[in-house]
Structures are given as C-alpha cells and as structure tokens.
Amino acid sequence: MARTPYMAGNWKMHKTVSEARVLASELVSELSGASAKLMIAPPFTALSAVSQVVSDSPIRLGAQNMAPEESGAHTGEVSVAMLADVGVEVVILGHSERRHVYGETDELINRKVKLALAHEMEVILCVGETLEEREGDRAETVVQEQLAAGLDGVGEDQLSLVTIAYEPVWAIGTGRTATPEDADAIHQIIRNRFSTMYSAQAAENMVIQYGGSVKPNNIVGLMAKGNIDGALVGGASLKAETFVPIATYDRT
Ligand code: 13P
C-alpha cells in the first residue's frame, strides 16, 4: 500500500498565542482539502489556543518536546498527559536542536519515545548527522545508531505510531538543502534499517520525512524520490504563503 505523504510544521520558538491563532486559522481555511496528512507543532504556550482552532480540521496538533517522566518534581517540563489534555496527538522527539543545543542523549530520547508510545501518542523521531560527521563519512553510521538507540525496546506493533524525520543538521535553517538524491540515499538506509530491526513490511510501511530548509521551490523535487514520504518544515511553516504550497505540493 502506498504511504500517505505527511507534511508537518515545526514552529520552534516562534509565535505568541495571538499570532499562533492567526496562522492556524489561515491554515485551517486553506488546507481543508489537502490530501496529505498534516501536523503543526506550535510552542507549548500556544498549544491550547491552536487546539481549539484546528479541532474539526484535518490538521493534527503536535508538540515539540515532552518530559521523559510521567509527572512529579520536574521543574520546567511538560508531561505526556498534559499534552494529551490540550489535544496534542503527535510529539516531535530527538530534534537536533534538543540533541545539540540542550544535550539530549539517545538514551533520554529513547525514554521519551517509549513513554509517548505507552500513552498512544504519535512520535516523530528525528535523526541526522552534523556537518563534521558528514564530512567524516559517518552520516550513515550516525543515523543508524540514532535509530537503533531511539527505538530500543519499541515493538513492531507500535510502529504505526512512529514517523522518522531525517534532518541533516547542516541543512537546518541554513538554506542548504540536501539534494533529493542525497536525502533519498539516507532515507533508503533508514528504511533498510527497519528491515533488519523489524521486518520488510515494517520497512515498507515506515513514513520517512525529510527536514532541513524545505521550501515551496524544493518540495516537488524531494517528494519525487521514492523514499521521501513527507517533510518536517521549520522556517517555511511560519507563514501560510510558504507552508500551504508545501502541504499541497501534490496538487500543484
Ligand atoms: P528549517 O526548515 O528552518 O531548515 O528547519 C528544519 C527543522 O529543523 C524542522 O524540524
């Protein structure tokens, strides 16, 4: 069965509540007929407001991070139950900014992945190499290690809740996109890894997004590749005029 394209917007640390409401409303009206699976991940402070705007629309609500614990004395953290309470259905975990700026390890990310899945929260698990790792010919190894560690203890029966986002760190926010060929090659490696970790069927079914300077002018080339099933979009998800053409690329 063909994989459904999945377009997601990671708003990162942008948008006040009122700005978020405006953008979400524009997206709801402009994306009502989109055929791709859609998600937007506003900052925590805007989740509740955006939840009201996107309810009864095809746009799913995502969060950008989550605590590795159920509850308790964890100052500054937000739990899976709190996210679910405001209507979040998807959580982005292991984003490179969490890994490299805030020091999140594979082990911590794995705890979050397992906790989210235990609560039937969908997960977008991000993997990707730094420029130094790519130049040292280590991209494939790094991505495979992040996958294996991030999904340690996750059963094949839980994979329907998992999406992988390949985001090469050197392409994020830099305007440097991986070429469709380079991205597809890593996506193929990710898919193969699912084959060895799980099964050929799991590999075939896995939705793998590309992220890193995705724009309206490069989405078509990326989506033309057989192993690229969608996009995790940063900067271009902050305006309807740039996110809508990406989210509806297949109708252009
Ligand atoms: P940009 O699209 O701004 O490069 O960000 C990509 C990203 O990190 C999405 O999670």
Side-chain angles (χ1 to χ4, degrees), residues 6-10 39 92 95 124 126 165 167 209-214 230-234:
Y6 187 3
M7 302 299 183
N10 173 8
M39 182 277 263
I92 299 170
H95 191 279
I124 296 181
C126 303
E167 299 205 314
Q209 297 173 322
Y210 169 77
S213 297
V214 173
L232 182 54
V233 186

PDB file of all heavy atoms in Angstrom, residues 6-10 39 92 95 124 126 165 167 209-214 230-234:
ATOM      1  N   TYR A   6       3.158  12.985   4.431  1.00  0.00           N
ATOM      2  CA  TYR A   6       2.957  13.564   5.766  1.00  0.00           C
ATOM      3  C   TYR A   6       3.758  14.864   5.857  1.00  0.00           C
ATOM      4  O   TYR A   6       4.980  14.840   5.836  1.00  0.00           O
ATOM      5  CB  TYR A   6       3.423  12.549   6.811  1.00  0.00           C
ATOM      6  CG  TYR A   6       3.143  12.895   8.259  1.00  0.00           C
ATOM      7  CD1 TYR A   6       2.447  14.037   8.651  1.00  0.00           C
ATOM      8  CD2 TYR A   6       3.582  12.042   9.270  1.00  0.00           C
ATOM      9  CE1 TYR A   6       2.202  14.314   9.982  1.00  0.00           C
ATOM     10  CE2 TYR A   6       3.348  12.307  10.607  1.00  0.00           C
ATOM     11  CZ  TYR A   6       2.665  13.452  10.955  1.00  0.00           C
ATOM     12  OH  TYR A   6       2.430  13.726  12.283  1.00  0.00           O
ATOM     13  N   MET A   7       3.038  15.987   5.921  1.00  0.00           N
ATOM     14  CA  MET A   7       3.676  17.305   5.961  1.00  0.00           C
ATOM     15  C   MET A   7       3.470  17.932   7.339  1.00  0.00           C
ATOM     16  O   MET A   7       2.323  18.107   7.770  1.00  0.00           O
ATOM     17  CB  MET A   7       3.060  18.225   4.897  1.00  0.00           C
ATOM     18  CG  MET A   7       3.170  17.693   3.485  1.00  0.00           C
ATOM     19  SD  MET A   7       4.912  17.488   3.023  1.00  0.00           S
ATOM     20  CE  MET A   7       4.688  16.951   1.326  1.00  0.00           C
ATOM     21  N   ALA A   8       4.561  18.280   7.980  1.00  0.00           N
ATOM     22  CA  ALA A   8       4.470  18.788   9.341  1.00  0.00           C
ATOM     23  C   ALA A   8       5.230  20.095   9.479  1.00  0.00           C
ATOM     24  O   ALA A   8       6.290  20.275   8.882  1.00  0.00           O
ATOM     25  CB  ALA A   8       5.033  17.751  10.318  1.00  0.00           C
ATOM     26  N   GLY A   9       4.671  20.998  10.268  1.00  0.00           N
ATOM     27  CA  GLY A   9       5.319  22.292  10.528  1.00  0.00           C
ATOM     28  C   GLY A   9       5.799  22.362  11.964  1.00  0.00           C
ATOM     29  O   GLY A   9       5.003  22.201  12.892  1.00  0.00           O
ATOM     30  N   ASN A  10       7.082  22.582  12.128  1.00  0.00           N
ATOM     31  CA  ASN A  10       7.674  22.757  13.451  1.00  0.00           C
ATOM     32  C   ASN A  10       7.928  24.252  13.640  1.00  0.00           C
ATOM     33  O   ASN A  10       8.841  24.798  13.038  1.00  0.00           O
ATOM     34  CB  ASN A  10       8.991  21.954  13.520  1.00  0.00           C
ATOM     35  CG  ASN A  10       9.757  22.205  14.803  1.00  0.00           C
ATOM     36  OD1 ASN A  10       9.265  22.855  15.725  1.00  0.00           O
ATOM     37  ND2 ASN A  10      10.977  21.686  14.866  1.00  0.00           N
ATOM     38  N   MET A  39       0.316  18.209  10.074  1.00  0.00           N
ATOM     39  CA  MET A  39       0.501  18.467  11.503  1.00  0.00           C
ATOM     40  C   MET A  39       1.192  19.813  11.682  1.00  0.00           C
ATOM     41  O   MET A  39       2.037  20.182  10.866  1.00  0.00           O
ATOM     42  CB  MET A  39       1.354  17.349  12.116  1.00  0.00           C
ATOM     43  CG  MET A  39       1.596  17.473  13.612  1.00  0.00           C
ATOM     44  SD  MET A  39       2.964  18.567  14.005  1.00  0.00           S
ATOM     45  CE  MET A  39       4.286  17.394  14.224  1.00  0.00           C
ATOM     46  N   ILE A  92       7.185  15.665  18.610  1.00  0.00           N
ATOM     47  CA  ILE A  92       8.482  15.608  17.928  1.00  0.00           C
ATOM     48  C   ILE A  92       9.538  15.304  18.994  1.00  0.00           C
ATOM     49  O   ILE A  92       9.636  16.030  19.992  1.00  0.00           O
ATOM     50  CB  ILE A  92       8.809  16.966  17.253  1.00  0.00           C
ATOM     51  CG1 ILE A  92       7.761  17.331  16.201  1.00  0.00           C
ATOM     52  CG2 ILE A  92      10.212  16.937  16.640  1.00  0.00           C
ATOM     53  CD1 ILE A  92       7.895  18.773  15.664  1.00  0.00           C
ATOM     54  N   HIS A  95      14.776  16.094  18.219  1.00  0.00           N
ATOM     55  CA  HIS A  95      15.164  17.124  17.244  1.00  0.00           C
ATOM     56  C   HIS A  95      16.628  17.503  17.476  1.00  0.00           C
ATOM     57  O   HIS A  95      17.101  17.525  18.614  1.00  0.00           O
ATOM     58  CB  HIS A  95      14.264  18.352  17.385  1.00  0.00           C
ATOM     59  CG  HIS A  95      14.442  19.308  16.250  1.00  0.00           C
ATOM     60  ND1 HIS A  95      15.479  20.210  16.203  1.00  0.00           N
ATOM     61  CD2 HIS A  95      13.746  19.467  15.098  1.00  0.00           C
ATOM     62  CE1 HIS A  95      15.409  20.890  15.063  1.00  0.00           C
ATOM     63  NE2 HIS A  95      14.360  20.452  14.377  1.00  0.00           N
ATOM     64  N   ILE A 124       7.238  11.677  16.194  1.00  0.00           N
ATOM     65  CA  ILE A 124       8.132  11.902  15.054  1.00  0.00           C
ATOM     66  C   ILE A 124       9.539  11.896  15.631  1.00  0.00           C
ATOM     67  O   ILE A 124       9.917  12.790  16.396  1.00  0.00           O
ATOM     68  CB  ILE A 124       7.862  13.244  14.332  1.00  0.00           C
ATOM     69  CG1 ILE A 124       6.465  13.239  13.707  1.00  0.00           C
ATOM     70  CG2 ILE A 124       8.927  13.489  13.255  1.00  0.00           C
ATOM     71  CD1 ILE A 124       6.100  14.520  12.949  1.00  0.00           C
ATOM     72  N   CYS A 126      13.372  12.336  15.260  1.00  0.00           N
ATOM     73  CA  CYS A 126      14.315  12.994  14.343  1.00  0.00           C
ATOM     74  C   CYS A 126      15.704  12.383  14.470  1.00  0.00           C
ATOM     75  O   CYS A 126      16.180  12.126  15.587  1.00  0.00           O
ATOM     76  CB  CYS A 126      14.424  14.474  14.667  1.00  0.00           C
ATOM     77  SG  CYS A 126      12.856  15.351  14.631  1.00  0.00           S
ATOM     78  N   ALA A 165      11.938  11.414  10.973  1.00  0.00           N
ATOM     79  CA  ALA A 165      12.315  12.615  10.214  1.00  0.00           C
ATOM     80  C   ALA A 165      13.836  12.627  10.085  1.00  0.00           C
ATOM     81  O   ALA A 165      14.542  12.628  11.103  1.00  0.00           O
ATOM     82  CB  ALA A 165      11.831  13.871  10.914  1.00  0.00           C
ATOM     83  N   GLU A 167      16.787  14.764   9.377  1.00  0.00           N
ATOM     84  CA  GLU A 167      17.120  16.186   9.320  1.00  0.00           C
ATOM     85  C   GLU A 167      18.635  16.350   9.460  1.00  0.00           C
ATOM     86  O   GLU A 167      19.148  16.381  10.589  1.00  0.00           O
ATOM     87  CB  GLU A 167      16.414  16.941  10.452  1.00  0.00           C
ATOM     88  CG  GLU A 167      14.908  16.857  10.385  1.00  0.00           C
ATOM     89  CD  GLU A 167      14.242  18.054  11.079  1.00  0.00           C
ATOM     90  OE1 GLU A 167      14.651  18.412  12.198  1.00  0.00           O
ATOM     91  OE2 GLU A 167      13.343  18.627  10.473  1.00  0.00           O
ATOM     92  N   GLN A 209      10.097  11.377   6.791  1.00  0.00           N
ATOM     93  CA  GLN A 209      10.076  12.778   6.349  1.00  0.00           C
ATOM     94  C   GLN A 209      11.505  13.280   6.182  1.00  0.00           C
ATOM     95  O   GLN A 209      12.414  12.847   6.883  1.00  0.00           O
ATOM     96  CB  GLN A 209       9.394  13.658   7.408  1.00  0.00           C
ATOM     97  CG  GLN A 209       7.940  13.329   7.655  1.00  0.00           C
ATOM     98  CD  GLN A 209       7.383  14.116   8.842  1.00  0.00           C
ATOM     99  OE1 GLN A 209       8.066  14.320   9.836  1.00  0.00           O
ATOM    100  NE2 GLN A 209       6.125  14.517   8.747  1.00  0.00           N
ATOM    101  N   TYR A 210      11.653  14.247   5.293  1.00  0.00           N
ATOM    102  CA  TYR A 210      12.925  14.970   5.196  1.00  0.00           C
ATOM    103  C   TYR A 210      12.730  16.343   5.840  1.00  0.00           C
ATOM    104  O   TYR A 210      11.660  16.961   5.691  1.00  0.00           O
ATOM    105  CB  TYR A 210      13.360  15.149   3.733  1.00  0.00           C
ATOM    106  CG  TYR A 210      14.513  16.117   3.638  1.00  0.00           C
ATOM    107  CD1 TYR A 210      15.809  15.711   3.976  1.00  0.00           C
ATOM    108  CD2 TYR A 210      14.297  17.462   3.327  1.00  0.00           C
ATOM    109  CE1 TYR A 210      16.852  16.622   3.992  1.00  0.00           C
ATOM    110  CE2 TYR A 210      15.342  18.373   3.339  1.00  0.00           C
ATOM    111  CZ  TYR A 210      16.613  17.946   3.674  1.00  0.00           C
ATOM    112  OH  TYR A 210      17.642  18.841   3.707  1.00  0.00           O
ATOM    113  N   GLY A 211      13.738  16.833   6.535  1.00  0.00           N
ATOM    114  CA  GLY A 211      13.684  18.182   7.097  1.00  0.00           C
ATOM    115  C   GLY A 211      15.014  18.884   6.946  1.00  0.00           C
ATOM    116  O   GLY A 211      16.080  18.259   7.062  1.00  0.00           O
ATOM    117  N   GLY A 212      14.963  20.171   6.681  1.00  0.00           N
ATOM    118  CA  GLY A 212      16.195  20.954   6.510  1.00  0.00           C
ATOM    119  C   GLY A 212      16.038  21.868   5.318  1.00  0.00           C
ATOM    120  O   GLY A 212      16.210  21.439   4.180  1.00  0.00           O
ATOM    121  N   SER A 213      15.609  23.125   5.581  1.00  0.00           N
ATOM    122  CA  SER A 213      15.437  24.124   4.523  1.00  0.00           C
ATOM    123  C   SER A 213      14.478  23.671   3.420  1.00  0.00           C
ATOM    124  O   SER A 213      14.696  23.956   2.242  1.00  0.00           O
ATOM    125  CB  SER A 213      16.798  24.529   3.939  1.00  0.00           C
ATOM    126  OG  SER A 213      17.598  25.147   4.931  1.00  0.00           O
ATOM    127  N   VAL A 214      13.407  22.984   3.823  1.00  0.00           N
ATOM    128  CA  VAL A 214      12.358  22.652   2.840  1.00  0.00           C
ATOM    129  C   VAL A 214      11.568  23.920   2.535  1.00  0.00           C
ATOM    130  O   VAL A 214      11.174  24.655   3.442  1.00  0.00           O
ATOM    131  CB  VAL A 214      11.408  21.555   3.381  1.00  0.00           C
ATOM    132  CG1 VAL A 214      10.222  21.355   2.432  1.00  0.00           C
ATOM    133  CG2 VAL A 214      12.168  20.251   3.578  1.00  0.00           C
ATOM    134  N   GLY A 230       7.508  12.789   2.977  1.00  0.00           N
ATOM    135  CA  GLY A 230       6.920  13.991   3.546  1.00  0.00           C
ATOM    136  C   GLY A 230       8.017  14.910   4.019  1.00  0.00           C
ATOM    137  O   GLY A 230       9.189  14.689   3.733  1.00  0.00           O
ATOM    138  N   ALA A 231       7.615  15.954   4.742  1.00  0.00           N
ATOM    139  CA  ALA A 231       8.593  16.941   5.181  1.00  0.00           C
ATOM    140  C   ALA A 231       8.286  17.416   6.589  1.00  0.00           C
ATOM    141  O   ALA A 231       7.123  17.513   6.989  1.00  0.00           O
ATOM    142  CB  ALA A 231       8.602  18.130   4.225  1.00  0.00           C
ATOM    143  N   LEU A 232       9.349  17.683   7.337  1.00  0.00           N
ATOM    144  CA  LEU A 232       9.243  18.370   8.620  1.00  0.00           C
ATOM    145  C   LEU A 232       9.853  19.754   8.379  1.00  0.00           C
ATOM    146  O   LEU A 232      11.045  19.880   8.136  1.00  0.00           O
ATOM    147  CB  LEU A 232       9.998  17.602   9.714  1.00  0.00           C
ATOM    148  CG  LEU A 232       9.926  18.183  11.132  1.00  0.00           C
ATOM    149  CD1 LEU A 232       8.502  18.391  11.602  1.00  0.00           C
ATOM    150  CD2 LEU A 232      10.664  17.266  12.117  1.00  0.00           C
ATOM    151  N   VAL A 233       8.981  20.745   8.392  1.00  0.00           N
ATOM    152  CA  VAL A 233       9.335  22.078   7.893  1.00  0.00           C
ATOM    153  C   VAL A 233       9.502  23.053   9.053  1.00  0.00           C
ATOM    154  O   VAL A 233       8.621  23.140   9.912  1.00  0.00           O
ATOM    155  CB  VAL A 233       8.215  22.584   6.951  1.00  0.00           C
ATOM    156  CG1 VAL A 233       8.613  23.902   6.304  1.00  0.00           C
ATOM    157  CG2 VAL A 233       7.863  21.533   5.904  1.00  0.00           C
ATOM    158  N   GLY A 234      10.599  23.787   9.066  1.00  0.00           N
ATOM    159  CA  GLY A 234      10.815  24.800  10.094  1.00  0.00           C
ATOM    160  C   GLY A 234      10.388  26.166   9.578  1.00  0.00           C
ATOM    161  O   GLY A 234       9.211  26.516   9.567  1.00  0.00           O
TER     162      GLY A 234
END
